[in-house]
Amino acid sequence: MVADRAGVSRQTVSNAVNAPHRLRPATLAAVTSAIEQLGYRPNQAARSLRTRATRVIGCRLLPSAHNGTGGVLDRLLHALCDSARSNGYDLLTFSAEDDDDEISIYDDLLRRHAIDGFILTNTHHVDARPDWLLARGALFVAFGRPWSRRGAKHSWVDVDGARGTAEAVTHLARLGHRRIAFLGVHEGSGVGDDRLAGWEREAGRLRLATNGLLARAEDGIASGRTLAAQLLESARPPTAFVCVSDAMAIGAMRAIEDRGWRPGHAVSVVGFDDSPVASVIRPGLSSLRQPIEAVANQLVETLLAVLSGEQVRPARLLLPPRLVVRVSSGEREDRRGAPAAPASPRMQAEVATTRKGEVP
Amino acid sequence: MVADRAGVSRQTVSNAVNAPHRLRPATLAAVTSAIEQLGYRPNQAARSLRTRATRVIGCRLLPSAHNGTGGVLDRLLHALCDSARSNGYDLLTFSAEDDDDEISIYDDLLRRHAIDGFILTNTHHVDARPDWLLARGALFVAFGRPWSRRGAKHSWVDVDGARGTAEAVTHLARLGHRRIAFLGVHEGSGVGDDRLAGWEREAGRLRLATNGLLARAEDGIASGRTLAAQLLESARPPTAFVCVSDAMAIGAMRAIEDRGWRPGHAVSVVGFDDSPVASVIRPGLSSLRQPIEAVANQLVETLLAVLSGEQVRPARLLLPPRLVVRVSSGEREDRRGAPAAPASPRMQAEVATTRKGEVP
DNA sequence: AACGTTCATATGATCGTTCATATGGCGGTC
DNA sequence: GACCGCCATATGAACGATCATATGAACGTT
């Protein structure tokens, strides 16, 4: 506590740091300058010990295995770190084999008082983690809706997958498509069902056919290829695919190429997640980009509100994804030889914000 | 300290946790059982305050912008978390705009005593960070050699890029290639120069031409495409490309396709980093996979040795990458119609360890 | 001028550990 | 039997901050 160089007591220094408004301007200036000169920063351990707050947020790394998350982990982490740090918090990361493993790490961190709260990632059906955390009295915010139950007692932020796939349908319909298929995953995955619902809803709204245009399998390139091939060989084949993931979409593109056609010319494809691959493969894959940075900001803000105790009722936030248009959806040329309708200003903006450095 | 339930003093509990050998078996058992029953874990803040050690390691997230690092950040983080945790440490991550920003975060974390040591990533020429940390007396280990100077005073772990590109040349030569080009980045990048050196060295050793077979530009798909096209149009074109990155390699594949050829048939390509894209694009891109998990283990182990004060002389560790063979290097068919030489057992092993879930 | 109120700053205690050191018991040696 | 040394355990202090509370100064009111 050499900061008594300012000629005041410890407590005054503490106030200067934590409640500057309490000090008279002159005193504050003196203390601040002493702090500057000595390069003082409060010792985190001592502070945590006394206040019982570590100013650290814990977050499990999304499992690498997640095909769909290519690039999402990276973006989410960067954004979380930035949001946390600009709010005076740090991010502690850990990886876990499965939910049980993750819970045991939660337990460890909580018992050691190494953390103030968690950001839960990768929520899914029959997810034991929220209940465990709630029962434990731990504070957290989830990235992902609680898929299993309606009135969850915790706050969450999620991306509106249905809105995304609906937008994809709108986009394709505007380009002239009438038979738009959906390549999804097996029923029971919250994310998958959500994205499917958007396709179904929007197709209904636009009075487009859905019969015989839905195919589901495990996520993956191989699945996408097989499913798309089956649909393309059917009596009334689709002219476009909206896909639950970029992996599925890439599979669909392969199936189209397998028939000697070009994705975006003969048949259009839209993926989901805008993974790095989407901008690299040829032709470029139109895809729905999750607003990960906004999600991270909201997650951190909400968690801090929860930590501060202000948050009385759980927050529920649904953010819209954004369609990144590339060649695979066929915007650049009309499928039937007629000149394409001019893109709307909004579309142009979207094209312009396509990730830099990519090769269309 | 409800753990006095065991009928002993605080200090004995402390000893049971930190120096069990000091206790008589009977006492230890009593304390341990009390600890179990109460689910006690030492409060991290109190412990840190007293011992001046936080058991937290800091690590900057690799910048997303890094094209070449697709998938590397993800793997590195998971591995670092696992290694740290199994050694009783936690990983604190942060992102930074540039080196200055990073240094100011170091400064903050050190001043607050929020961290024991750092893992430095993404070392490069004229890197102010190691010197700053050394001058500050901070403990750290770098992932990446100190490219600017010889006898660095700090420990580091790195991947032997030269060895990787040399292996790629060996592999291609074994498949019959005599004119193997290298697509590199501008001189001055440590990683880039290292990888180039391996190609040059191995080509020399095998008495292969290098004249007119080296092309350099900024990293990226577009660059790779342009450079490869130029070389292919030259008087004595190469029959294979070793590339400084997967991005360059993908560019080279495009240039090959631009001429109506198929990568792996007409001309072979090998990339570097084995990014997720490498296994997804068609044809699959042979690439050099960095042993990130081993790197992470070594980084953590070395850092812990440094933290414990045991490490007297700086450790320097160079780990070899591994060639993951896919279609683009043309192993499966001989380019001139003759049957391909049978793959060596080592090669088969490498093929077998190709990432699961990929579509060849 | 005495009063109560508010604001600015100071004091002692405390958070939960581990450190340094003290104490007591036990066995072996002279 | 007294002494020494060693081992297991206990005691008080300290780590560096904030909390709760006390003190004193400044102010406006009657």
Side-chain angles (χ1 to χ4, degrees), chain B residues 66-195:
Chain B
H66 257 226
N67 285 323
T69 55
V72 171
L73 166 69
D74 188 282
R75 288 170 63 203
L76 183 64
L77 270 185
H78 274 95
L80 281 177
C81 283
D82 286 339
S83 295
R85 179 146 276 270
S86 63
N87 283 288
Y89 277 72
D90 281 315
L91 193 73
L92 189 149
T93 53
F94 48 89
S95 78
E97 301 279 319
D98 51 37
D99 284 2
D100 288 342
D101 192 20
E102 184 170 349
I103 286 180
S104 79
I105 295 180
Y106 287 164
D107 193 43
D108 173 57
L109 292 171
L110 290 170
R111 283 232 166 82
R112 283 165 47 210
H113 294 266
I115 236 153
D116 291 343
F118 293 100
I119 286 175
L120 213 63
T121 52
N122 188 29
T123 60
H124 46 79
H125 267 125
V126 203
D127 195 334
R129 299 170 300 158
D131 289 338
W132 188 91
L133 286 168
L134 285 169
R136 188 80 169 61
L139 302 177
F140 69 102
V141 174
F143 175 17
R145 277 161 274 184
W147 296 105
S148 310
R149 61 189 62 187
R150 290 270 146 211
K153 296 210 177 59
H154 65 273
S155 295
W156 52 261
V157 178
D158 203 359
V159 173
D160 194 341
R163 177 159 168 183
T165 47
E167 187 175 344
V169 170
T170 315
H171 166 68
L172 291 167
R174 200 181 294 154
L175 294 174
H177 291 278
R178 308 301 299 166
R179 293 188 59 79
I180 302 172
F182 187 82
L183 299 189
V185 288
H186 292 302
E187 197 171 348
S189 133
V191 174
D193 294 348
D194 181 40
R195 294 179 183 178

Side-chain angles (χ1 to χ4, degrees), chain B residues 221-268:
Chain B
I221 296 177
S223 297
R225 193 175 189 172
T226 311
L227 295 183
Q230 286 168 0
L231 288 175
L232 289 173
E233 280 158 17
S234 69
R236 305 198 57 200
T239 64
F241 291 95
V242 173
C243 306
V244 75
S245 72
D246 279 354
M248 282 286 202
I250 292 169
M253 286 170 69
R254 299 228 166 129
I256 295 165
E257 290 165 346
D258 288 341
R259 298 178 77 88
W261 300 340
R262 281 166 60 195
H265 280 245
V267 179
S268 295

